Amino acid sequence: MAKPDIHPQWYPEAKVYCNGQVVMTVGSTKPELHVDVWSGNHPYYTGTQKIIDAEGRVERFLRKYGMSSEQGNKKKK
């Protein structure tokens, strides 16, 4: 048997908001949930993809720590 007065309050009709709009209702311990991504706008489910990083992470790392070929050529001259 569960102990009384130790469990959080359960909200069976908690509203999930994305960009200010209600996108679904779920059961939760909070009455409102605010999310940035859900299945309706996630690239995996929608089939679309946004380009987040135009410059590659590896190139940025190499440039930051002085390992790029451009900086190596400058040091040799």
Side-chain angles (χ1 to χ4, degrees), residues 39 41-49:
S39 61
N41 66 357
H42 191 277
Y44 180 81
Y45 297 106
T46 61
T48 60
Q49 185 173 359

Side-chain angles (χ1 to χ4, degrees), residues 30-71:
K30 296 187 179 205
E32 293 182 353
L33 301 168
H34 296 273
V35 297
D36 295 328
V37 178
W38 67 290
S39 61
N41 66 357
H42 191 277
Y44 180 81
Y45 297 106
T46 61
T48 60
Q49 185 173 359
K50 296 178 185 176
I51 297 175
I52 297 171
D53 189 13
E55 181 182 13
R57 292 181 183 179
V58 174
E59 290 82 9
R60 190 170 53 217
F61 174 85
L62 294 175
R63 190 178 70 240
K64 180 178 179 181
Y65 292 103
M67 293 182 252
S68 67
S69 60
E70 294 173 2
Q71 289 184 353

Side-chain angles (χ1 to χ4, degrees), residues 18-36:
C18 183
N19 295 329
Q21 298 178 348
V22 176
V23 292
M24 68 177 92
T25 58
V26 295
S28 177
T29 57
K30 296 187 179 205
E32 293 182 353
L33 301 168
H34 296 273
V35 297
D36 295 328

